[in-house]
């Protein structure tokens, strides 16, 4: 075993990606120290905060399988079979994400997932240092400066640094100050706010019409709910306790409606009464939620360089923060950890080579999911509005059924396979062009001759690579 020769690894950030990476490295014999700004969430006093959930898809799940943690996580997850679209007229319908219940996504609690990952990493031998925030790094002396919660600073040795400290990464700032990283931040211009639908038992029973059938949940529990409204939308993901976390996405500035034109809870409530009349009654603490929860901004982060030779590397959101609309930020970061842990295990002494190779492999994929996440906002918020889009979707489904080796919806490639994101992006573009040509402006998928379409598909595009477990 090569353990004794390996440099110890210093990880900044014990969030989702940091904790999972730490566990995998420790299992492979590396000595790992993690410095995390926040206090240990497993200590009493943390519970009782707002429940924030995330959608876990196949890529993230596969990384958890590699780490031996998938079963534990799924036990506390709520299955989401598709998107439940709630139109303005108050109707709703489920659009399945995949072909059957093997193609579903999972709603997991961020807090519970983070605690599970911390437990697993600690059990694998990782040393965590909570309440320790990176302030600065001296890459020549190979030392870092940390501040505790009182602001008291100290320095420690850090031979090899990995930054999993999120979108606002302090390690990234330190690296950039030492040698510019070519950082570009593209604000989306839209922002978000979280609201909560409590379990059905806490709502006046009269409000629960059709959906009152679910004893615990105010809405269908096994779906990701979307209220698309053109330029903006609300979504809701189920929590195990029967509540839902709702997120309103809206332009930050500009003409009504935007967060700027909804400065107070009265204005916001009137807006919801007009635009989300079926949703508002499910949020009994609307005024309190809206008034006290912050408005979050959304941007995409691009860097030219993710590493400083073999001394420091960025991973997860610290390297490639994206907008949320494909639900892939964590999934992509989890996929990163598997690639990095395996490269490091192969060449533990050549961190410069490993970090360069990691960026070479992952950056084109990070760029691709960044672009697809931006595109999925338009798709989600306009969801059912565009008949041409629906026709393309339907023709795609027909082709996927007739020629599954040649056609797979991009959403499914991203969400349910391990095909590289860059492949899904490219293949999706080619498939889309073909659908466009086949439909020639028609909004009726059934106007297309399917036999001819399948022939055209097979003549134009090579078969898909071996799927799902490739
Ligand atoms: P983070 O999870 O942000 O962790 C960074 C850690 O570093 C934190 O613990 C932080 O305290 C610590 N830290 C920060 N600064 C310092 C410092 N100076 N010193 C020491 N430690 C520091 N992704 C999905 O795949 N599906 C979803 O459905 C989804 N939903 C989301 C919902 C919300 C509300 C948000 C905000 C994001 C969502 N994402 C989702 C994205 C996902 O949360 C991120 O991509 C993922 O958390 C990235 O993990 P990370 O470890 O890189 O960063
Ligand atoms: N960050 C998600 C999808 C795709 C759903 C579909 C979309 C909230 C912040 Cl907006 C969103 C998806 O195309 O039908 N899968 O998973 C998660 C999403 O938002 C998460 C909960 C979120 N992310 C800041 C807020």
């Amino acid at each position: 075993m090569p353990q004794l020769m390996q440099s110890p690894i210093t990880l900044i950030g014990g969030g989702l990606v940091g904790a999972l990476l730490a566990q995998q490295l420790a299992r492979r014999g590396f000595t790992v120290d993690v410095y995390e700004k926040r206090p240990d969430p497993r200590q009493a006093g943390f519970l009782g905060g707002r429940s924030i959930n995330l959608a876990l898809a196949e890529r993230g799940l596969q990384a958890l399988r590699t780490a031996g943690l998938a079963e534990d996580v799924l036990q506390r997850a709520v299955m989401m079979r598709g998107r439940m679209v709630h139109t303005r007229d108050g109707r709703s319908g489920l659009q399945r994400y995949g072909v059957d219940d093997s193609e579903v996504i999972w709603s997991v609690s961020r807090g519970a997932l983070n605690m599970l990952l911390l437990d697993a990493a600690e059990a694998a031998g990782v040393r965590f240092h909570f309440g320790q925030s990176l302030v600065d790094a001296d890459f020549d002396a190979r030392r870092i400066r940390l501040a505790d919660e009182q602001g008291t600073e100290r320095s420690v040795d850090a031979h090899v640094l990995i930054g999993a400290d999120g979108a606002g990464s302090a390690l990234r700032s330190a690296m950039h100050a030492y040698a510019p990283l070519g950082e570009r931040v593209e604000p989306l211009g839209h922002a978000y706010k979280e609201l909560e639908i409590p379990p059905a038992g806490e709502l006046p029973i009269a409000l629960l019409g059709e959906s009152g059938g679910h004893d615990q949940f105010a809405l269908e529990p096994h779906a990701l709910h979307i209220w698309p409204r053109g330029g903006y939308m609300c979504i809701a993901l189920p929590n195990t306790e029967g509540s839902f976390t709702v997120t309103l996405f809206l332009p930050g500035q500009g003409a009504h409606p935007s967060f700027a034109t909804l400065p107070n809870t009265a204005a916001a409530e009137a807006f919801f009464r007009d635009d989300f009349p079926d949703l508002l009654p499910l949020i009994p603490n609307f005024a309190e939620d809206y008034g006290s929860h912050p408005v979050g901004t959304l941007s995409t982060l691009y860097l030219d360089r993710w590493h400083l030779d073999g001394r420091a590397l960025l991973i997860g959101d610290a390297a490639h923060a994206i907008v949320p609309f494909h639900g892939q930020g964590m999934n992509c970061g989890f996929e990163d950890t598997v690639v990095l842990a395996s490269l490091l295990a192969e060449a533990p002494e050549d961190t410069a080579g490993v970090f360069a190779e990691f960026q070479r492999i992952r950056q084109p994929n990070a760029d691709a999911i960044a672009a697809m996440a931006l595109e999925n906002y338009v798709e989600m918020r306009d969801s059912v509005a565009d008949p041409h889009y629906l026709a393309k979707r339907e023709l795609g489904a027909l082709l996927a059924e007739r020629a599954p080796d040649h056609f797979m919806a991009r959403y499914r490639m991203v969400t349910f396979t391990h095909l590289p994101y860059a492949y899904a992006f490219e293949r999706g573009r080619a498939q889309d062009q073909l659908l466009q040509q086949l439909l020639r402006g028609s909004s009726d998928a059934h106007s297309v001759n399917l036999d001819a379409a399948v022939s055209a598909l097979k003549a134009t595009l090579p078969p898909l690579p071996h799927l799902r477990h490739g």
Side-chain angles (χ1 to χ4, degrees), residues 117-255:
L117 294 174
L118 293 173
D119 281 343
E122 226 162 48
V126 174
R127 290 187 301 230
F128 282 95
H129 311 269
F130 291 99
Q132 301 281 316
S133 166
L134 178 78
V135 177
D136 206 352
D138 181 336
F139 297 104
D140 293 318
R142 297 199 153 191
R143 285 176 72 77
I144 55 171
R145 203 142 50 86
L146 300 162
D148 67 15
E149 282 154 303
Q150 282 72 47
T152 308
E153 295 192 359
R154 66 178 176 128
S155 288
V156 299
D157 288 330
H159 197 69
V160 174
L161 275 161
I162 299 179
D165 49 348
S169 173
L171 184 61
R172 190 174 73 231
S173 304
M175 288 164 69
H176 184 72
Y178 187 81
L181 298 173
E183 175 175 318
R184 196 155 52 87
V185 175
E186 288 200 346
L188 176 67
H190 290 226
Y192 72 96
K193 192 185 279 274
E194 285 149 352
L195 306 163
E196 192 182 302
I197 299 175
E202 294 169 32
L203 288 168
I205 198 78
L207 289 176
L208 302 169
E210 244 179 278
S211 43
H214 319 288
D215 9 305
Q216 248 193 329
F217 293 85
L219 296 163
E220 161 60 44
H222 296 295
L224 189 157
H225 294 265
I226 310 178
W227 290 259
R229 295 296 180 263
Y232 50 94
M233 66 178 184
C234 280
I235 64 164
L237 273 70
N239 296 305
T240 43
E241 328 83 78
S243 60
F244 289 83
T245 305
V246 176
T247 311
L248 164 67
F249 293 98
L250 197 64
Q253 304 293 320

Side-chain angles (χ1 to χ4, degrees), residues 52-56 80 82-84 95 97 105 110 192 194 224 226 233 235 237 245 247 249 296-298 322-328 331 376-377 379-380 411 415:
I52 301 293
N53 45 31
L54 307 112
L56 175 68
M80 298 185 289
R83 55 162 86 143
M84 185 72 82
Q95 303 174 4
Y97 286 134
I105 57 177
R110 174 190 295 270
Y192 72 96
E194 285 149 352
L224 189 157
I226 310 178
M233 66 178 184
I235 64 164
L237 273 70
T245 305
T247 311
F249 293 98
T297 55
L298 301 166
I322 61 177
V323 297
F325 307 106
H326 225 303
Q328 287 287 318
N331 285 286
N376 209 47
Y377 188 22
E379 160 147 358
M380 287 181 79
Y411 183 91
T415 309

Side-chain angles (χ1 to χ4, degrees), residues 17 59 81 101 168 211 220 240 327 374 466:
V17 171
R59 289 165 203 271
R81 293 191 171 96
D101 275 2
S211 43
E220 161 60 44
T240 43
L374 283 161
H466 180 65

Side-chain angles (χ1 to χ4, degrees), residues 97-115:
Y97 286 134
V99 290
D100 56 35
D101 275 2
S102 72
E103 293 188 335
V104 297
I105 57 177
W106 302 89
S107 179
V108 297
S109 147
R110 174 190 295 270
L113 178 59
N114 202 2
M115 290 190 270

